[in-house]
Amino acid sequence: MPRLTRWFIRAALAHLIAALLLGALLGGGRVLSLPPILAAATPVYFHLLMLGGVAQFIIGVAWWMFPPLSKERPRGNEALAWAVFFLLNGGLILRAICEPWVAVDPQPIARGGLFLSALALVAAGWIVVGLLWPRVKGR
Amino acid sequence: MPPLSRYMVRLALLHLALGFFFGGLMLAHKAFPIAPWAMRLLPWHIHSLLIGWTIQLAFGVAYWIFPRFALERPGDPRGRAGWAWASLVLLNAGVLCAGPAGAMGWGPGLALGSAMETLGVLAFVVHLWPRVRPAIL
C-alpha cells in the first residue's frame, strides 16, 4: 500500500470517528439542550462523515488500485496527490471550526476561514478528477 | 477495466466535480451571503455526490472486480450485463432529473428522478447478486 494511501485511509478513519462522536453529541441534543455553536454543527457532521470519511477512503484506495498510467509514473503526479490530501483535510478542519462559528458569531476571520475552506475543498475535488481520469482505462 | 466500468467511473468523476462545485458555492455563500440562489443547489449537490459519485463509483468498480463466470459462461463472464447497462442509464438520468428539479423546487421532477435512481440501484442489484460468490481459481 503506497505511503499516501496509508495517510488517506488513516485520515479517513479519524474523520469517521470524529463524525460519529459529533453525531452522537448532536443526537443527544434531542434530549439535552446543546450550546448554540454545537447545534449549528449538523453540516459539519455530514461532511466529516461523507467527505472526510467515505470520499477520502475511496480516493485513497482509487489512488492505489486504479490501472497504472505508465511504468515510469504508475500513479501520475504524486505531488498533486499530496496537495489533495492537505487541501481536503485542511479544508475540512477549517470548515469544522468556522462553519458553526459563522452561524453563531459571523466575525470576519471566521467568514474568511469558511471561504478559504470552500476554495480548498473545491480545489481538492477537481485535482482528484484530474489525477484519476487518465487512469480510467482498459489496462 | 471493462467499458461499462470506465463509463461509470468517468461519469462518477464528473458528478464529483459538479457536486463539489455546487458545495463550494453554497459554502462560500455561507461565508459571504451575496448569492441567496446558491442554497437552492443543495438537492442537486446531494444527488450528485451520493448517487452520482459514491454509489456509481462503487458500482463501476464492483462490475470490474467482483468474481466472474469465466468457466460457466466463457462468452459472457460478467453475466446479465444488460441490467448493469440499464443501471448506468437510470442512475445518471435520475441524478440529472432530480438535481435540477430539486434546485427549481419542482416536486414531480424530484420524485421522478429519485424513482429512476431507485430503479437504477435495483437493476444493478439484479446484475451483481449472483456475482457475490467465492472466486473460482
Side-chain angles (χ1 to χ4, degrees):
Chain A
M1 197 187 280
R3 192 158 153 250
L4 178 55
T5 294
R6 281 178 264 151
W7 279 94
F8 271 126
I9 290 175
R10 285 182 190 136
L13 295 174
H15 279 288
L16 273 174
I17 291 170
L20 293 170
L21 286 173
L22 179 59
L25 224 62
L26 291 170
R30 290 170 189 254
V31 180
L32 314 156
S33 62
L34 294 174
I37 198 162
L38 211 57
T42 301
V44 173
Y45 158 65
F46 285 135
H47 289 86
L48 285 178
L49 184 68
M50 293 307 299
L51 182 48
V54 175
Q56 184 161 209
F57 197 101
I58 290 171
I59 290 166
V61 176
W63 167 255
W64 174 22
M65 290 286 192
F66 269 32
L69 268 179
S70 64
K71 276 190 186 162
E72 299 77 30
R73 292 178 93 195
R75 297 188 175 94
N77 189 328
E78 186 151 341
L80 272 180
W82 277 106
V84 168
F85 178 82
F86 288 109
L87 286 167
L88 186 63
N89 290 286
L92 278 168
I93 291 168
L94 257 181
R95 182 179 190 148
I97 296 167
C98 295
E99 192 165 11
W101 189 0
V102 167
V104 302
D105 181 24
Q107 297 288 327
I109 189 170
R111 289 181 192 270
L114 197 60
F115 189 76
L116 215 64
S117 162
L119 292 177
L121 293 174
V122 175
W126 286 3
I127 295 172
V128 164
V129 175
L131 284 171
L132 292 180
W133 190 276
R135 293 178 63 187
V136 181
K137 53 186 208 158
R139 281 183 194 277
Chain B
M1 218 188 258
L4 176 62
S5 291
R6 278 179 261 155
Y7 288 129
M8 278 190 153
V9 172
R10 284 185 187 139
L11 286 164
L13 290 172
L14 290 175
H15 283 291
L16 175 71
L18 194 65
F20 266 56
F21 178 60
F22 291 159
L25 283 176
M26 289 188 289
L27 196 59
H29 169 71
K30 283 187 181 182
F32 299 107
I34 56 169
W37 52 264
M39 295 315 294
R40 284 200 242 134
L41 294 168
L42 184 63
W44 200 340
H45 168 73
I46 292 171
H47 279 265
S48 231
L49 289 176
L50 276 181
I51 311 293
W53 154 246
T54 307
I55 288 183
Q56 184 165 216
L57 184 82
F59 283 1
V61 174
Y63 183 81
W64 172 27
I65 294 282
F66 269 44
R68 284 171 263 174
F69 303 104
L71 298 175
E72 303 99 305
R73 298 179 209 168
D76 178 30
R78 288 186 170 87
R80 304 204 283 192
W83 288 98
W85 282 103
S87 173
L88 178 144
V89 172
L90 286 164
L91 283 178
N92 289 283
V95 172
L96 291 175
C97 182
M104 291 185 292
W106 186 44
L110 186 57
L112 177 65
S114 301
M116 285 196 278
E117 289 165 357
T118 304
L119 289 173
V121 170
L122 286 170
F124 198 80
V125 169
V126 170
H127 161 77
L128 196 69
W129 195 273
R131 293 177 66 189
V132 181
R133 56 183 242 164
I136 296 169
L137 299 170

